[in-house]
Amino acid sequence: MTPPRPLTTSNARRKLAAPTVAMLPRIADSLSFLYLDIVRIHQDDTGVCAEVTSEQRGTETVYLPTAALSCVLLGPGTSITARALTTFARNGTTVITAGSGGVRCYSAAVPESLTTLWLERQTRAWANDTHRLAIAQAMYELRFGDGTATNGTNLDKLRGMEGQQVKALYQLLARQYKIGRFRRAYDPSSWDSQDPVNLALSSANTCLYGIVHAAITALGCSPALGFVHSGNQQAFVYDIADLYKAELTIPLAFSLHASPNPEGEARRSFRHELRLFQLLPRIVTDIQQLLDPDHTYEAPDPAEQMVDLWDPVAGSVPAGVNHGRQP
């Protein structure tokens, strides 16, 4: 019989840090994403920490709230130890290797403690033709408005409606930016010969796919089981990304019609102006609503989650606001 290990300070800390099932956060309760780049992440006796080294300030250490994080996105220049990855897995945190700003998803480590609730709902709906059609119709209604996809509307008619709506949007934006007639084209074999709008649109869409992929993975769904698209490992990613293209990527691409580097500008503009951490909860909420239409899911208001500032006279005052006197 193996004798028990002596209780040392290090062992005591590890036992206290070990989460129980009841301690693991649910995505439905709190959706928290953290993006990191150009840092070293490792585990010490206290917890998981991120180290940043610079000539001006030396090495700075920030401890990460692993039990409160649903998803960690590791950007370029990030290194992580096996012990830190183990801690994330024990706490049910999904770890995603992403591009700069989190706009591409290259790989994901999903913890075994991640609930299969949403995956099971997705699978049941996908395997049932009636339910699959209903969700596909709901996706079109999210894009084009209530009443556009009634129970008697088949997918062939919906695809035709989609083509007309997107074509009309292209024409509207082409007139707005005075670029003449526009035709959507995507040809990887002749990438450099494409016009700036097509280059920017392809680049921005790739960024959007990465963000959607990250949200789907963090929720525990399968990116391969699509309801409109099929036959591809990212079929569900394409389904969800289509909900936002008319609002996000298409207008951005047309605004870069005169850019000398539309591909790079699209990536940078999408990353800096999109406000990534407001879109991720919205994507998850939309997926939950589609897969569970009998309940109402609302995306959290970023203003409601903002930390307040304490004031002994006025009470709580809003943070994230410049309180300097206006000239």
Side-chain angles (χ1 to χ4, degrees), residues 166-178 254:
V166 173
K167 183 178 180 180
L169 179 60
Y170 287 159
Q171 293 174 346
L172 176 65
L173 290 171
R175 288 196 298 269
Q176 178 181 339
Y177 288 100
K178 299 180 175 60
F254 276 87

Side-chain angles (χ1 to χ4, degrees), residues 45-278:
D45 290 338
T46 303
V48 176
C49 57
E51 287 187 351
V52 182
T53 303
S54 62
E55 293 182 359
Q56 295 80 8
R57 305 177 64 170
T59 299
E60 299 175 284
T61 301
V62 178
Y63 283 90
L64 307 180
T66 53
L69 292 173
S70 296
C71 181
V72 173
L73 300 126
L74 305 180
T78 303
S79 65
I80 185 169
T81 65
R83 286 187 64 196
L85 280 172
T86 301
T87 300
F88 279 129
R90 290 167 58 197
N91 283 278
T93 304
T94 300
V95 180
I96 293 174
T97 305
S100 181
V103 297
R104 299 195 185 194
C105 179
Y106 298 115
S107 65
V110 180
E112 62 179 16
S113 58
L114 182 64
T115 177
T116 61
L117 171 66
W118 294 104
L119 176 61
E120 291 171 3
R121 287 179 175 173
Q122 179 191 16
T123 305
R124 284 196 295 267
W126 178 85
N128 184 299
D129 287 347
T130 301
H131 292 168
R132 183 175 181 178
L133 177 60
I135 291 179
Q137 291 171 335
M139 288 179 175
Y140 281 107
E141 289 214 339
L142 279 176
R143 296 174 63 184
F144 306 124
D146 295 338
T148 55
T150 60
N151 290 334
T153 307
N154 57 37
L155 284 180
D156 184 60
K157 185 175 180 180
L158 289 173
R159 283 191 292 267
M161 180 191 306
E162 175 188 26
Q164 294 173 0
Q165 295 276 359
V166 173
K167 183 178 180 180
L169 179 60
Y170 287 159
Q171 293 174 346
L172 176 65
L173 290 171
R175 288 196 298 269
Q176 178 181 339
Y177 288 100
K178 299 180 175 60
I179 63 174
R181 187 174 180 179
F182 171 78
R183 180 177 178 274
R184 175 63 174 139
Y186 174 71
D187 185 4
S189 62
S190 58
W191 180 263
D192 295 331
S193 63
Q194 297 179 62
D195 62 87
V197 175
N198 271 300
L199 282 172
L201 185 53
S202 296
S203 180
N205 283 343
T206 300
C207 296
L208 178 60
Y209 295 150
I211 295 173
V212 172
H213 196 153
I216 289 173
T217 303
L219 192 57
C221 293
S222 169
L225 299 182
F227 293 86
V228 176
H229 297 82
S230 64
N232 187 282
Q233 286 294 322
Q234 289 195 315
F236 194 45
V237 175
Y238 299 147
D239 282 356
I240 301 302
D242 280 351
L243 303 178
Y244 313 108
K245 287 181 180 178
E247 177 185 353
L248 300 175
T249 61
I250 296 177
L252 171 62
F254 276 87
S255 71
L256 298 174
H257 65 95
S259 171
N261 182 18
E263 182 185 4
E265 284 293 323
R267 285 198 301 269
R268 286 188 289 271
S269 297
F270 194 84
R271 182 170 65 244
H272 295 307
E273 299 175 9
L274 184 63
R275 300 185 184 275
L276 172 64
F277 297 100
Q278 293 182 23

